[in-house]
């Protein structure tokens, strides 16, 4: 759901850059207070993995495809939605600068949808459900993150006048309800795998 | 142990990066599919004109648009993905090293 330049009016692109930069600044503060030296390799490895898996579009019905985003997974592993914001900001910078995936002006909106909405929704859904079942909580965290990021994207495009609101919500919601399953399954697999083999790496499970 | 995570993660990422050009679906993604069906062409045209773009994309040229290298086909896509994965790893590592909390010792 990378918004290209041209989909949003300039004023709206700038507005979302301003909003997102405030969150990015907070995510930098999070790193300065919480990211310990031991976690640096994990953060970098996760970034490489998320970049690669984002290019792996998987087919869904209706001649459409979708891919993992990864902010929910990052937020769960680092026990903070701010980790997801920082991660997706870096991923979107590389994608936008080197691969024309998502516009540079629209990057603020893309950070807002995939980093901020994705990170916060994914983290708090997981946190609310982790006591019942970690895999299910991870799946639903990932699914809700993708679905609500897409809903936010549809609303932004409706505000800009490029999509009609009703049909935008319907199609974006429908497609991403399915794409969210990809996000949920991969998030659940990675969190389950890490929590069984290297439980100390999944910070939201080792702390209360 | 820490280097193991870095190398292990990089190996997994590179494998995915090499496979992606062959396995990834070329169908439009959810946003592109939605746009094909319902986009307001007048509004899009107005936005593109304001930016001086001919079609939607990005305001600055990218060296490897759409994860490909011009004229190099699948090989170029594999190279683009590997280069991207390494840039991503380096950027994330560098940013994390700079931003990490001061160590206690």
């Amino acid at each position: 759901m990378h918004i290209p330049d041209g989909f949003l009016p300039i004023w709206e692109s700038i507005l979302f850059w301003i909003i997102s930069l405030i969150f990015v600044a907070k995510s930098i503060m999070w790193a300065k207070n919480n990211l310990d030296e031991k976690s640096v390799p994990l953060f970098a490895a996760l970034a490489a993995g998320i970049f690669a898996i984002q290019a792996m579009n998987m087919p869904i019905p209706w001649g459409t495809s979708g891919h993992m985003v990864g902010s929910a997974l990052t937020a769960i592993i680092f026990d903070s939605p701010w980790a997801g914001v920082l991660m997706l900001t870096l991923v979107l910078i590389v994608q936008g600068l080197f691969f024309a995936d998502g516009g540079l002006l629209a990057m603020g909106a893309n950070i807002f949808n995939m980093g901020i909405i994705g990170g916060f929704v994914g983290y708090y859904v997981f946190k609310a459900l982790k006591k019942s079942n970690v895999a299910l909580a991870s799946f639903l965290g990932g699914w809700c993150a993708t679905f609500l990021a897409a809903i936010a994207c549809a609303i932004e495009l409706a505000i800009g006048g490029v999509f009609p609101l009703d049909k935008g919500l319907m199609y974006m919601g429908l497609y991403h309800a399915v794409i969210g399953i990809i996000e949920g399954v991969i998030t659940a697999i990675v969190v389950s795998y890490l929590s069984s083999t290297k439980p100390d790496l999944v910070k939201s499970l080792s702390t209360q | 142990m820490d280097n193991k995570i870095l190398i292990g993660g990089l190996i997994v990422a590179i494998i995915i990066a090499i496979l992606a050009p062959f396995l990834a679906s070329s169908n439009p993604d959810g946003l592109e599919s939605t746009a094909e069906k319902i986009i307001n062409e007048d509004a899009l045209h107005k936005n593109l004109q304001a930016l001086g773009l001919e079609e939607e994309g990005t305001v600055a040229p990218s060296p490897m648009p759409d994860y490909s290298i011009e004229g190099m086909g699948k090989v170029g896509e594999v190279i683009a993905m590997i280069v991207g994965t390494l840039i991503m790893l380096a950027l994330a590592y560098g940013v994390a090293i700079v931003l990490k909390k001061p160590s206690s010792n």
Side-chain angles (χ1 to χ4, degrees), chain B residues 16-60:
Chain B
I16 298 169
I18 291 169
L19 293 176
F22 300 97
L23 298 183
S25 165
S26 56
N27 290 339
D29 75 6
L31 175 59
E32 291 163 349
S33 284
T34 304
E36 282 173 13
K37 289 193 175 65
I38 65 168
I39 200 158
N40 178 336
E41 293 286 351
D42 291 338
L44 174 65
H45 188 73
K46 238 179 71 188
N47 289 341
L48 289 173
Q49 227 169 19
L51 293 172
L53 293 175
E54 285 184 9
E55 54 174 14
E56 68 268 23
T58 176
V59 291

Side-chain angles (χ1 to χ4, degrees), chain A residues 125-191:
Chain A
V125 168
F126 173 81
K127 208 172 143 131
L129 300 172
K130 70 175 178 181
K131 284 212 173 71
S132 52
N133 182 307
V134 167
L136 184 66
S138 307
F139 174 84
L140 288 174
W143 187 87
C144 292
T146 296
F147 184 75
L148 288 176
I151 294 298
C153 182
I155 292 170
E156 287 150 23
L157 291 165
I159 292 171
V162 178
F163 282 5
L165 181 61
D166 53 348
K167 288 203 174 100
L169 286 174
M170 190 186 84
Y171 283 113
M172 286 297 282
L174 177 69
Y175 292 142
H176 291 88
V178 181
I179 295 169
I181 297 172
I182 297 170
E183 185 88 29
V185 167
I186 298 175
T187 305
I189 289 173
V190 176
V191 172

